[in-house]
Amino acid sequence: MNGTYDGAALLAGTAALGGYFAIPAFGDDEGAEFATLLSDADVVRAFVERTRSAIAASTDNDPADVPLRMAASSFQLNVVARLVSPVVGAAALYGAVPVLTPTSVRWTTTGHHSPRLGTAHPDWLPAPTPSQAADVISKSLLTNVFGPLAEILRATASLSDRVSRGNAISAANGAVTVMGLSRPDLAPTGRALVRALLDTGPLTDTGHFVGGQFVRRSCCLFYQAPGAGLCQDCVLDATQLQRTRR
């Protein structure tokens, strides 16, 4: 389907929505396929430990004070947000979705607590309606990238699939919120896509809307970090702890 779309132009246009909507185009020899990360538990565990150390440093605590599952959730949420945001943005802007797979997504080690992500020649599929976009995203990114990532994090850090799936829908909704700040005209389409994702594939029933406010049905575990509170979309009772934006 690449002949139908100028993928580079669409990615550049999507990147204009903000930093999290930018996924750089990698050259053929740049980075490794994401599949290699999904098959290497030691590398994934190392990223989780780096995330744990970064959270501890930011709160002036010892890494041992940061639960491993919470660090794994934070790492996963960062990766999810970096990949789902440009997909959601492209769907809202152009009615087309880049097909991100374990081979079209690339990664490099940066020395930080998360890999640098990019993509190499992804296919594009038409997605003129939110339900069609949700179907494409579900069958590609959610099933073939986020699914295996959730599996390896469950094995290496005991992160439950429920939390991982909740992180994915939370990241998608968060992308719409950020997108709406600069392009409020796109927000209705974005929210419709989130609602469609809630009825599609792996993210079915992972959240709901209450009076127009999105609430996930699981917790990202952020409240377990030293001094942290609850996220605005948390399933827990946010009146009991200080609300904290991601």
Side-chain angles (χ1 to χ4, degrees), residues 166-181:
N167 286 347
I169 193 64
S170 180
N173 186 71
V176 175
T177 298
V178 173
M179 181 172 63
L181 296 177

Side-chain angles (χ1 to χ4, degrees), residues 190-204:
R191 297 296 179 207
L193 174 53
V194 172
R195 292 177 186 275
L197 287 170
L198 290 170
D199 292 327
T200 308
L203 300 190
T204 298

Side-chain angles (χ1 to χ4, degrees), residues 44-246:
V44 172
R45 176 62 181 251
F47 275 124
V48 171
E49 291 291 357
R50 289 182 196 175
T51 301
R52 192 183 198 184
S53 295
I55 294 169
S58 69
T59 57
D60 197 25
N61 282 275
D62 189 274
D65 295 328
V66 178
L68 184 65
R69 287 199 309 134
M70 181 266 150
S73 178
S74 180
F75 164 73
Q76 191 244 12
L77 187 52
N78 182 273
V79 171
V80 168
R82 290 290 181 182
L83 294 178
V84 80
S85 295
V87 172
V88 167
L93 272 171
Y94 305 115
V97 174
V99 182
L100 300 185
T101 67
T103 54
S104 67
V105 175
R106 301 290 179 88
W107 71 283
T108 60
T109 300
T110 61
H112 300 296
H113 58 276
S114 289
R116 176 173 176 258
L117 300 174
T119 187
H121 313 299
D123 288 330
W124 285 75
L125 290 176
T129 68
S131 62
Q132 288 172 298
D135 186 62
V136 173
I137 295 168
S138 176
K139 291 178 178 177
S140 56
L141 182 61
L142 296 180
T143 298
N144 298 322
V145 178
F146 294 167
L149 181 61
E151 290 178 10
I152 199 168
L153 286 171
R154 184 170 61 248
T156 59
S158 299
L159 185 68
S160 74
D161 181 64
R162 179 179 175 83
V163 171
S164 291
R165 292 189 300 115
N167 286 347
I169 193 64
S170 180
N173 186 71
V176 175
T177 298
V178 173
M179 181 172 63
L181 296 177
S182 59
R183 290 290 304 273
D185 57 305
L186 297 178
T189 299
R191 297 296 179 207
L193 174 53
V194 172
R195 292 177 186 275
L197 287 170
L198 290 170
D199 292 327
T200 308
L203 300 190
T204 298
D205 202 32
T206 52
H208 62 295
F209 285 85
V210 179
Q213 175 72 32
F214 172 76
V215 181
R216 57 185 285 174
R217 296 190 186 277
S218 63
C219 177
C220 71
L221 311 180
F222 178 75
Y223 77 94
Q224 295 179 358
L230 297 179
C231 302
Q232 284 200 325
D233 64 357
C234 189
V235 68
L236 302 179
D237 184 1
T239 64
Q240 300 302 314
L241 291 172
Q242 179 184 358
R243 281 179 175 267
T244 302
R245 289 183 181 273
R246 291 193 184 95

